């Protein structure tokens, strides 16, 4: 009898012990969710590398992405940034942008069993079901259209699916967050650009723009907009980040904020340090121009101002969580800025991505919310932009 009672007690104990207490349960659940999801990053700056001898299919010790590390990180869809410094303008900007676009086209042509060039949400779903990387293109800076709507139409024809209205300097028709205000937001032509983007089914990207440009674009755009790589200013004061008011207004019109992982965007201490060192940084970047010198410039600054605070990858999750608390999980996504600057400790490259999903699982996020954040919100946004375009052109 005693034995029966003991067995009964043991069984009872097992049945009330929640399985969640097993230390690796959340990790396993996160892995399952992550590696079966469409994980779509809306801003990756690897594109210039595609124009060199660098091989997408090889694993590299430098940079933040390549095919083997994407596989390990479960990253299966990305917007290749058609990036260009804002100071390159005129026909040269158009020609250089075409060369960058051609490099993305060539990547897909060279690797037909691994990469699918996508221009619609349906294409991205198809790529995922075929086990291929979905390659999309977003243009980082309105200066590349050379003040010409026909040129914008050509880029849309070539497959570009978002246009960041400005990069770090003003264009002739829009103010940038990195420059002195000149146009009080968008000019009349700037508003025409937004209308044309709506018509073409190309997303209006408000990352990099001045706050007033954001509000002007929001008022004009008939389709929801994207912030392809911006974080939350309430957590870190960088002017490239969005205020709570902006995030709410973006979401209210169906838009999505894609959280940027760059260390100086997500960590306020590091942001304050970068403010303190700004003047010296400007001088150094004239002496050592180009993104390839970023590490060297930081080294020089640390010699002068002491070590820069270290940002942890966990701040990325803080920014996601802040935006989700503000506007819900349907309006938040991922826009890493991989290969576009310095990553926080623990997010050294795209192979570390599953950590974000695991952190969300541990925070108690629902599986459907996690899948939306990982990629489905962007697809819904693309579908809505496609629908608005059809409505305008019918
Ligand atoms: Zn950028």
């Amino acid at each position: 009898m005693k034995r029966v009672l003991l067995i009964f007690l043991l069984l009872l104990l097992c049945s009330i012990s929640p399985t969640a207490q097993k230390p690796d349960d959340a990790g396993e659940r996160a892995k399952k969710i992550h590696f079966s999801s469409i994980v779509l990053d809306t801003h990756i700056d690897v594109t210039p590398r595609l124009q060199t001898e660098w091989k997408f299919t090889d694993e590299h010790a430098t940079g933040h992405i390549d095919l083997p590390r994407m596989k390990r990180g479960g990253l299966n869809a990305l917007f290749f940034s058609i990036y260009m410094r804002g100071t390159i303008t005129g026909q040269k900007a158009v020609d250089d942008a075409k060369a960058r676009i051609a490099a993305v086209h060539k990547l897909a042509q060279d690797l037909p069993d691994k990469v699918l060039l996508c221009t619609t949400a349906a294409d991205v779903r198809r790529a995922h079901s075929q086990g291929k990387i979905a390659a999309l293109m977003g243009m980082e800076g309105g200066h590349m259209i050379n003040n010409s709507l026909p040129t914008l139409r050509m880029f849309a024809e070539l497959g570009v699916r978002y246009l960041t209205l400005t990069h770090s300097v003003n264009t002739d028709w829009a103010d940038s967050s990195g420059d002195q205000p000149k146009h009080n937001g968008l000019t009349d032509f700037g508003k025409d650009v937004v209308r044309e983007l709506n018509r073409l089914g190309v997303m209006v990207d408000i990352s990099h723009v001045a706050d007033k440009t954001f509000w002007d674009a929001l008022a004009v755009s008939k389709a929801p907009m994207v912030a392809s790589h911006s974080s939350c200013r309430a957590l870190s004061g960088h002017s490239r980040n969005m205020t709570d008011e902006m995030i709410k207004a973006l979401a209210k019109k169906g838009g999505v904020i894609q959280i940027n992982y760059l260390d100086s965007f997500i960590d306020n201490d590091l942001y304050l340090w970068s403010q303190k060192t700004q003047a010296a940084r400007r001088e150094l970047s004239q002496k050592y121009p180009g993104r390839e010198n970023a590490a060297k410039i930081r080294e020089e600054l640390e010699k002068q101002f002491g070590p820069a605070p270290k940002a942890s990858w966990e701040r990325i999750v803080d920014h996601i969580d802040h935006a989700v608390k503000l506007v819900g999980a349907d309006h938040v996504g991922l826009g890493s800025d991989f290969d576009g600057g310095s990553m926080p400790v623990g997010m050294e490259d795209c192979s570390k991505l599953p950590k974000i999903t695991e952190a969300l699982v541990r925070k108690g996020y629902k599986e459907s919310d996690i899948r939306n954040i990982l990629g489905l919100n962007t697809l819904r946004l693309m579908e809505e932009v496609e629908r608005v375009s059809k409505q305008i052109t019918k």
Side-chain angles (χ1 to χ4, degrees), residues 32 52 55 110 167 186 218 246 372:
K32 268 188 201 145
T52 66
K55 268 204 158 73
D110 289 349
H167 192 241
L186 278 179
L218 189 81
M246 289 159 79
N372 287 345

Side-chain angles (χ1 to χ4, degrees), residues 147-355:
N147 302 327
S148 154
L149 296 183
T151 303
L152 173 60
R153 291 195 271 276
M154 174 196 68
F155 284 129
E157 198 64 38
L158 291 173
V160 167
R161 283 300 174 268
Y162 74 68
L163 178 75
T164 320
L165 299 177
T166 71
H167 192 241
S168 302
V169 293
N170 298 338
T171 64
D172 292 337
W173 44 270
D175 284 340
S176 163
S177 65
D179 206 341
Q180 295 302 317
K182 190 179 171 194
H183 310 296
N184 189 29
L186 278 179
T187 66
D188 286 344
F189 178 73
K191 291 172 185 170
D192 285 344
V193 171
V194 170
R195 289 184 197 104
E196 187 62 10
L197 288 167
N198 288 166
R199 198 184 69 81
L200 292 166
V202 174
M203 287 187 282
V204 178
D205 177 22
I206 53 77
S207 284
H208 279 288
V209 304
D211 290 5
K212 180 62 167 57
T213 306
F214 164 80
W215 292 109
D216 286 356
L218 189 81
V220 174
S221 182
K222 287 199 161 50
M225 307 193 298
V226 69
S228 70
H229 59 309
S230 293
S231 297
C232 307
R233 215 181 289 169
L235 300 191
S236 178
H238 205 296
S239 61
R240 274 280 285 100
N241 291 340
M242 298 177 76
T243 65
D244 285 359
E245 206 190 353
M246 289 159 79
I247 297 169
K248 279 187 199 163
L250 178 81
K252 203 172 169 198
K253 280 190 87 169
V256 184
I257 175 172
Q258 307 281 114
I259 299 298
N260 186 315
Y261 311 167
L262 288 185
D263 56 3
S264 60
F265 284 34
I266 58 169
D267 186 290
N268 201 47
D269 290 340
L270 184 56
Y271 162 68
L272 293 174
W273 186 87
S274 59
Q275 284 296 96
K276 195 171 73 178
T277 58
Q278 204 175 32
R281 182 191 303 273
R282 213 170 286 139
E283 258 175 47
L284 284 166
S285 25
Q286 273 166 8
K287 200 167 153 193
Y288 308 110
R291 283 182 176 183
E292 61 280 11
N293 285 317
K296 186 183 176 63
I297 290 172
R298 189 173 280 198
E299 205 178 292
E300 290 282 325
L301 289 174
E302 289 194 337
K303 268 188 217 157
Q304 284 181 44
F305 295 90
K310 292 266 178 282
S312 159
W313 71 275
E314 288 164 307
R315 299 292 80 72
I316 301 168
V317 182
D318 293 347
H319 281 260
I320 292 172
D321 199 44
H322 177 81
V324 168
K325 284 196 173 107
L326 207 59
V327 292
D330 289 348
H331 301 281
V332 186
L334 308 176
S336 65
D337 222 341
F338 279 138
D339 279 347
S342 170
M343 284 290 136
V345 177
M347 191 51 65
E348 285 76 14
D349 60 33
C350 67
S351 71
K352 314 282 184 196
L353 268 179
K355 288 162 83 171

Side-chain angles (χ1 to χ4, degrees), residues 37-148:
S37 288
I38 293 179
V39 182
L40 199 173
D41 187 320
T42 47
H43 196 87
I44 297 191
D45 273 314
V46 71
T47 327
R49 286 189 150 188
L50 301 180
Q51 296 174 272
T52 66
E53 292 299 300
W54 182 89
K55 268 204 158 73
F56 182 66
T57 45
D58 287 351
E59 175 146 358
H60 301 267
T62 60
H64 303 143
I65 90 152
D66 47 49
L67 188 60
R69 285 183 287 175
M70 283 179 77
K71 292 275 177 209
R72 279 213 304 286
L75 176 61
N76 46 39
L78 77 158
F79 275 82
F80 283 94
S81 169
I82 308 303
Y83 155 81
M84 190 157 315
R85 253 185 297 140
T87 46
I88 299 172
T89 54
Q91 191 56 40
K92 177 163 173 49
V94 179
D95 293 342
D96 288 1
K98 277 158 75 178
R100 284 234 203 292
I101 290 168
V104 179
H105 285 196
K106 186 170 186 312
L107 179 78
Q109 281 156 11
D110 289 349
L111 303 168
D113 54 336
K114 294 187 175 72
V115 177
L116 185 69
L117 190 67
C118 298
T119 58
T120 64
D123 287 346
V124 176
R125 291 182 203 277
R126 195 170 312 124
H128 188 245
S129 68
Q130 293 173 0
K132 294 179 190 171
I133 301 290
L136 299 118
M137 289 180 289
M139 225 163 177
E140 191 174 23
H143 55 294
M144 280 175 266
I145 70 166
N146 193 19
N147 302 327
S148 154

